[in-house]
Every structure is written in structure tokens, then in C-alpha cells.
Amino acid sequence: MMITGGHGVRMQYDYTGDIAGPTGAVSAASPRWLRLTRSGDTLTGYQSADGTHWTTVGAVRLAGLPATVQAGLFAASPSSSHSTSQSVSGSSSAGGIVVATAAFDHVGLRSQRPGGAWTGDNVGGSAGGAPPGVGFRQAGPTFTVTGTGDIAPDVPGAPDGGGGTDIGQTLLGAFGGLIAVIVVAAMFMTAEYRRGLIRVTLAASPRRGRVLAAKAVVIGAVTFIAGLIGSAAALAIGERLLRSNGNYILPVSTLTEVRVVAGTAAVLAVAAVLALALGALLRSSAAAVTVAIVAIVLPYLMVNALPALPAGASDWLLRLTPAVGFSIQQSLPRYPQVLASYTPGNGYYPLAPWAGFAVLCGYAVVALGLAVIAIRRRDA
Amino acid sequence: MAATAALGAVADAATKCPSGGCQLDPARTCLTGIYLSQAVVAILAVLAISSEYGSGMIRVTFTAMPRRTTVLAANAVTVTGLALAAGTVAVLGSVLAGRLILPGHGFTAAHGYPPLSLGDGPVLRAAAGSVLYLALIALLSLGVAAAVRDSAVAIGIILGLLYLIPIIATVVGAPGWHRHLGQIAPMTAGLAIQATTGLRSLPLSPWTGLGVLAAWAAAALLAGGLLLRLRDA
């Protein structure tokens, strides 16, 4: 149970859960009462403005909670973070430790096993020691607690994060594979135009839409299998390298891991189909390759590696371009209560994984449809 | 050209400098379109050589003009001229768009941003440097295209070289390596020329950065020229 500066009363549990209570600022003139009760595995949080009329904020069940637990008062504040400079080599952000102080009175503990006197502890403090002022003071019935930091799940890019990385980091090489795939897929179509072989092909198989569909199936399937092998190997090797260099990889479920690996292969396959369709539409390999790379790689580069745009604009740039297909690589959830930079560089995309992949598929389908129309109408 | 200015204008319109001041570089913001236009310049330069290879016309060209390096040099002059002309128009359009749009988004004199003007030394350097940047991209592309002959492979190599290194650099944790990648990557080094603020935090000074790109272009042209001489057409 906690009172926040700008988000009212909240009940947070199990590091990741967050239940909102009544909003409204709290000051010395209008204090707030908080109460936490335990019954078996269930914890219930209450809040009150006067200490007599209580309302329930939330009840949560923490499975496997030990019979004896520690209870206490806390004060904390996440570090501040703001971007200070944006340059072509990346952005740098600065921030600082923020210290919060809270005064508690009418502190009471009702338990079958009475506790001893309250003791102070700096929970999860860094090795460098607590910043000055952190600790607690007791003056009669009033406790003054000062603390810093955040009680929250680790999120890449959070100022108080534990420095964990997401598994998507190991698959960045997919962009190199993507460029190679685009070149091969575009040439799969344009080479025939250049050599004039397309006339033979279309004479042998007069149903032109079927020729294009067959090519799309072949390039998509081959790319998917190659991409699957490549990304599975990249993930396995990358994880090992990251761990051996002392990095912590934030754990995800096996299902998520499968989605990320198979999804990366699927993104490459759909990009291959898109490049093939562009090749059929434009009939020039240089133009097809450039359009595909500019549509898929450049937006990612602009929002991630060269943050020249403000956050809102870069979110829209991603949402509207095929580059958002890479959101299938997002493996970690967003936590609204955790302050962090949720950017593609940290593994967060502006669309849900499957929605982003659907946008890429939409582009490929539209391009393939236009290519079928063009190849039927045009002379070969 | 229009796309360059348009993308720059969109970037201008999307950027806001709050009243507390900001660390953004207005010249760089309005020249965002260069990211896109370099791809167009690369296509034109690649096609200057590889379309001849594609059609087999290169054999006719080399029969008529047996000194192959002269052919490459003539191509280099043509694409450089084209890139300079198109780049000048695109950059002037971008700066004009920035001058008109940015003051409405907080880039005002009160926040320490005088209106963009080519009379201002750093802004002139950013604008003229961006035009030179496009010309060097054209030469780099021409060299790569002469070396690998196939247009799709050439454009893949060029855009990979430009776009991939900065993406890979984002996961390079060690600050020293990150800085080195920024110093050798043709795009990040070359675009240092667009910086008008925060020069000290750049991995390279603006003109040195453009020099790195020039070295890339020279190396590509040298490789292309050598292969052109040694190989059958």
C-alpha cells in the first residue's frame, strides 16, 4: 500500500501488479490512512481519509506466502531520467537519484505473534551505500522514513533497472539477413526481366498470377526455413555470449521464445515476398531493393539508432511503415507503473507483436496484389 | 528532392522545443530528409554503371572507349554533378521549410535558437556539407557498383553499409567501441557535418567526419576502377 505524489493511493504486489485506489493529493493538512491485512494467502489493502471510514483498494492472493512475514513502512522514489542530448551517434540521458521522505504516525501492528521494536533497513541498496539521508527516525509516535529507488520489475531502459537485457538483442543481426533476403528476393523476379527470360516463363505458363504466386511461395518458404535456422542459432549463441560477458537476460516463457524466433523468420519471409512483389511491380532490381530497404530498415534506424525525432513522431513512423513487423520480437511486457524508455532499442514497439506483424503482412499482400494486376495487364 | 524537403518538413513539424529549452539541433532536424535522399542518390549512381552491365551495353561502351578508368571517371563526374545539383535544391528546400516551420515549434530566439539562416557559419556548413555528403554517397555507390556489377547486390551493399552499422552500434555496450563505430561508419561519420550544436559530444568533428566518408568513397572508386581494368567486361 502506498501513497504517490501524482497517482493517488496504489496497491502494488508481487513486483509486477498495480491496483489503483482513490486519486487525490495528500498533504500534511489532509493525511491518508493505509491498512494492510492478511488472511491466509490473501492480502487486502484499505485506505481511509479519517481513520474510521475505510474503503478497500484491492485484495490479492500471493500463493505460497510463508506463515511468518516481515511487515514495515517504506519510502522510495524512482530516479529521474531525461534525455540531455541527441546526436547522430545516439542519445544520452542523464538523471539523478531522487529521495523521498514520508512521515508516519498512528503506526500499529496487530498480530498473533507480536513483533519487536521497529528496525531500519536499506532494502536492495546498491554496493556504493545508501545516499545521505536515507534511513528512518522515530520521534515519539511518529516515524520519518527516507528512501530512494523503485520496487518494480526490471525493465530495460529503466533508470532504476537492474541492467537486464531482452532476448531481442541477440536477433539484431536479422537486419543484415533482411538486406540479403531483400536483394535475393527482388532479383528472383527482376533477373528474369533483365535477361528477357520472363517472356519464356510467361509463354510456358500463361496464367501470370500463378507464376507470381508460385515464386512468392517458394521465396517465402525458403526464407522462412533459412531464417528459422539462423535466428534459432543467433538466439542460442547470443544468449551464451551475453551471459559469459556478465549480462543478465530477462527471463521469458518458452512460448514467447518460440514466438520471437519463429516470428523473426516470418518477418524475413514476408519481407522477401514484399521485395519480390516490388521487383515485379518496378521491374528494376535497384529500385525494388531500395524501396524495400527504405521501407523496412530506414524507419527502424531513424527511431532507434538516430533518435532525431521526438517520441510521438517516431511511434507513428514505426506504426505506419513495414518496419513495425519487427514488433514480433518484443518479449517483455510494458508496465505502466514503471518509468522507462519503452523504445525499440530496448525491445518495446508501439504496436502489439501480432498487430505489428499484421501491418507488415498487409503491405506484402497489397504489393503482391498490385504486382499480379500489373503483370497481367502489362506486356512482358 | 521533394521527398527530402517533405520529410524534413514533417520532422520540423513533429519536433517541439518546450519552454524549458531543449538539446535538439535545428539544422539537423530540418535536414532529416537526407536519410531518405541518400538512397535515391545511391540508386541513380548504381544504375549509371550497372544498367550498362545489365543490358550488355558495357561491352559496346568499352569497345568505343577502351580506357575503362576514363569511362568510370566520366561516370563519376556525371553522378557527382547530378547529386550536387539535386542535393542543392533538396537542401535549400529543407532549410527553407525549417526556417518557416521551426520557430512555430519553440525554436525561437528566446530559447537560444535564432531563425535558420545560411548566413550563419555552422548552418551554412551543415547545408553545404549535406550537399557534399550526397555527392560522396554518389561516388561511393558508383565505386561499389563498378566493383560488383549487379545493381541489386550493389544497392544492397551500399544501403547495408549506410544503415546497418548504426543499428549494430546500438547494441554495442562498450562506450569505446560504440564511439569507434560512430567514427568509421560512413553514414554516422559523414552526417557529423550536419551538427551545429553539441559539437564536443560528437565522436568526430564535422569536417573530419566528411573526410571519413570521402575515404570510403575513394576506396570504393579505387576498388571499382581496379576491378574494371582487370576484369573482362
Side-chain angles (χ1 to χ4, degrees), chain B residues 45-193:
Chain B
V46 165
L47 288 182
I49 284 266
S50 45
S51 65
E52 291 206 44
Y53 273 107
S55 58
M57 197 61 191
I58 193 85
R59 270 167 251 140
V60 180
T61 308
F62 282 161
T63 314
M65 185 70 207
R67 288 168 61 190
R68 299 182 178 184
T69 36
T70 314
V71 174
L72 186 64
N75 265 318
V77 171
T78 315
V79 297
T80 311
L82 273 176
L84 286 176
T88 307
V89 177
V91 164
L92 285 180
S94 302
V95 173
L96 186 68
R99 194 183 161 90
L100 294 176
I101 298 171
L102 284 177
H105 288 83
F107 288 89
T108 53
H111 296 162
Y113 291 107
L116 280 179
S117 156
L118 290 178
D120 188 19
V123 176
L124 182 63
R125 181 181 63 209
S130 297
V131 177
L132 290 177
Y133 174 86
L134 290 179
L136 288 171
I137 292 292
L139 289 176
L140 171 69
S141 309
L142 190 72
V144 172
V148 301
R149 293 185 277 194
D150 186 275
S151 57
V153 177
I155 205 89
I157 291 176
I158 295 154
L159 293 184
L161 205 58
L162 294 176
Y163 294 160
L164 268 188
I165 304 180
I167 290 182
I168 300 298
T170 56
V171 286
V172 175
W177 280 101
H178 189 93
R179 204 176 158 81
H180 284 313
L181 276 176
Q183 285 166 338
I184 59 160
M187 181 166 84
T188 34
L191 285 180
I193 196 76

Side-chain angles (χ1 to χ4, degrees), chain A residues 82-106:
Chain A
H82 59 271
S83 180
T84 53
S85 74
Q86 291 183 312
S87 68
V88 76
S89 60
S91 69
S92 62
S93 58
I97 288 171
V98 179
V99 175
T101 299
F104 300 85
D105 54 12
H106 298 89

